[in-house]
């Protein structure tokens, strides 16, 4: 069966990557808008209501506006924006999140794609909360190092078109969202099942894409004693059989580069790697992913496949 898909906002970073992953698939017809009419509500309304699936690669308010143009009850939605990640009636698009999530996505009419930082954080924290190891009222800290593409076209241009003096200023990593109100925090708290949002420090690095999300823990902050080996076993069991989540050897054995952990090794894949480092007193949990892959376009395509009944890996491997 041929399914019609319209990407509203395909000119953006995520939209372009989704289109590239979907282009040429025999089970899909990509509906295209005349570039000169891409901001014309009437032209967009027509394509939106012709589509079996609308993918809104737009800022939050524009995504809401696009979805508001739906008149065809058969049109389903995948929204990579932040607008609906904790909204009622929307299914969170992280198939590996917990048992039953895939079934919910298969039947969903409205799917919200997770944020890239949230994807790594939830992959690490959800199993701990689910197993009762991390109390729901825990004070959790997280840090995320990401490539500059995650901030969109303007930031990409700021790095790649900078003059010599500005390039020198951009060489170092730069923490941001220092008001501690990053837009991914609501989903990080709600989907992890925590009573309070984590203390979260995102950091932008001088590289195009790639991401490391880290959650440090003191062992005595857990509900019961647990060694690094025990946490590694927990993750291996929780994600057993998952195609796109890989639990790496304990302590990063054979995965480190001279003792350093690279944020780039999942780039151009839909893979997410999980690491456990630590000792008897301290634990460091790290998720690695491509912020434009499993953190954006890859996640959208994985959800689309589930919604349409296609093999989950189609267009991703």
């Amino acid at each position: 069966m041929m399914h019609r898909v319209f990407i509203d906002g395909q000119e953006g970073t995520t939209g372009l990557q989704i289109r590239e992953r979907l282009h040429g698939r025999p089970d899909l017809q990509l509906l295209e808008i005349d570039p000169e009419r891409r901001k014309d509500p009437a032209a967009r309304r027509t394509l939106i209501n012709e589509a079996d699936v609308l993918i809104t690669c737009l800022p939050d308010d524009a995504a809401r506006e696009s979805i508001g143009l739906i008149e065809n009850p058969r049109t389903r939605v995948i929204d990579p924006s932040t607008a609906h990640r904790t909204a009622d009636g929307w299914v969170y698009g992280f198939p590996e999140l917990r048992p039953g999530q895939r079934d919910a996505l298969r039947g969903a009419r409205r799917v919200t794609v997770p944020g890239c930082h949230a994807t790594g954080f939830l992959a690490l924290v959800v199993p701990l909360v689910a197993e009762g190891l991390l109390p729901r009222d825990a004070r959790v800290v997280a840090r995320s190092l990401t490539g500059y593409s995650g901030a969109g076209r303007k930031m990409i241009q700021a790095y790649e078109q900078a003059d010599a003096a500005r390039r020198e200023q951009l060489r170092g990593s730069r923490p941001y969202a220092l008001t501690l109100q990053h837009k991914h925090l609501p989903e990080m708290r709600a989907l992890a099942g925590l009573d309070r949002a984590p203390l979260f420090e995102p950091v932008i690095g001088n590289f195009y894409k790639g991401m490391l999300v880290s959650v440090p823990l003191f062992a005595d902050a857990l509900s019961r004693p647990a060694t690094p080996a025990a946490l590694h076993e927990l993750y291996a069991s929780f994600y057993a059989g998952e195609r796109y989540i890989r639990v790496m050897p304990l302590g990063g054995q054979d995965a480190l580069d001279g003792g350093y952990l690279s944020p780039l090794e999942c780039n151009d894949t839909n893979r997410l790697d999980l690491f456990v480092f630590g000792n008897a007193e301290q634990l460091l949990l790290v998720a690695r992913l491509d912020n434009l892959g499993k953190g954006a376009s890859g996640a959208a395509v994985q959800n689309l496949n589930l919604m349409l009944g296609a093999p989950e890996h189609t267009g991703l491997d």
Side-chain angles (χ1 to χ4, degrees):
M1 179 179 177
M2 181 75 73
H3 300 280
R4 293 166 297 180
V5 176
F6 176 52
I7 305 169
D8 196 4
Q10 71 171 31
E11 303 81 10
T13 306
T14 299
L16 287 170
Q17 290 223 344
I18 292 174
R19 187 182 186 283
E20 181 179 346
R21 291 173 183 270
L22 300 183
H23 183 71
R25 280 181 49 169
D27 60 329
L28 300 179
Q29 177 188 356
L30 292 182
L31 303 179
E32 303 280 357
I33 193 167
D34 183 333
E36 295 183 358
R37 301 189 68 193
R38 63 187 179 88
K39 294 186 178 181
D40 180 345
R44 291 169 58 221
R45 184 190 300 271
T46 297
L47 292 173
I48 285 169
N49 288 285
E50 288 179 0
D52 297 301
V53 180
L54 165 67
I55 304 178
T56 51
C57 297
L58 299 163
D60 289 6
D61 288 343
R64 294 186 185 98
E65 176 190 324
S66 179
I67 293 163
L69 297 175
I70 295 175
E71 299 166 347
N72 183 349
R74 295 189 301 275
T75 299
R76 303 164 81 182
V77 180
I78 296 174
D79 180 17
S81 82
T82 313
H84 301 100
R85 290 182 183 156
T86 58
D88 291 340
W90 288 75
V91 179
Y92 196 69
F94 192 171
E96 303 90 349
L97 183 67
R98 52 176 55 92
Q101 198 70 17
R102 273 190 176 83
D103 289 338
L105 287 165
R106 288 188 180 103
R109 308 295 305 173
R110 302 287 185 266
V111 170
T112 176
V113 178
C116 52
H117 300 290
T119 297
F121 177 81
L122 293 170
L124 294 168
V125 172
V126 166
L128 304 184
V129 176
E131 294 299 318
L133 265 175
L134 188 66
R136 293 181 180 273
D137 63 355
R139 298 178 182 272
V140 180
V141 175
R143 185 176 190 269
S144 184
L145 172 65
T146 181
Y148 56 77
S149 60
R153 182 178 296 176
K154 288 185 179 179
M155 186 62 71
I156 293 171
Q157 292 174 346
Y159 272 83
E160 297 186 350
Q161 298 178 14
D163 59 26
R166 184 59 177 157
R167 283 200 302 272
E168 181 64 23
Q169 293 177 335
L170 295 174
R171 286 180 61 188
S173 297
R174 300 189 296 164
Y176 67 102
L178 299 176
T179 60
L180 305 183
Q181 295 179 336
H182 192 277
K183 64 182 181 178
H184 292 184
L185 282 170
E187 62 185 291
M188 293 165 75
R189 183 202 65 76
L191 275 298
L194 296 172
D195 292 341
R196 54 169 67 90
L199 175 58
F200 177 50
E201 181 191 21
V203 181
I204 190 167
N206 190 6
F207 52 95
Y208 182 72
K209 62 182 180 179
M211 174 173 279
L212 294 174
V213 183
S214 305
V215 177
L217 294 169
F218 287 100
D220 60 10
L222 300 175
S223 299
R224 57 183 184 272
T227 63
L231 290 191
H232 185 268
E233 184 177 345
L234 185 158
Y235 286 127
S237 175
F238 194 91
Y239 294 114
E242 289 294 351
R243 189 184 192 103
Y244 295 117
I245 297 187
R246 186 170 68 169
V247 180
M248 304 300 284
L250 182 62
Q253 183 179 356
D254 300 326
L256 302 182
D257 179 12
Y260 296 91
L261 183 59
S262 170
L264 310 180
E265 297 302 316
C266 288
N267 284 1
D268 302 314
T269 77
N270 196 53
R271 196 176 75 236
L272 188 154
D273 292 344
L274 298 181
F275 295 86
V276 177
F277 305 95
N279 52 45
E281 296 182 354
Q282 297 175 330
L283 301 157
L284 180 61
L285 313 174
V286 183
R288 177 170 65 190
L289 64 153
D290 181 346
N291 57 288
L292 297 182
K294 184 64 170 169
S297 63
V301 173
Q302 188 177 357
N303 287 311
L304 177 69
N305 291 337
L306 288 167
M307 294 168 73
L308 298 183
E312 191 171 336
H313 64 276
T314 306
L316 295 174
D317 293 345

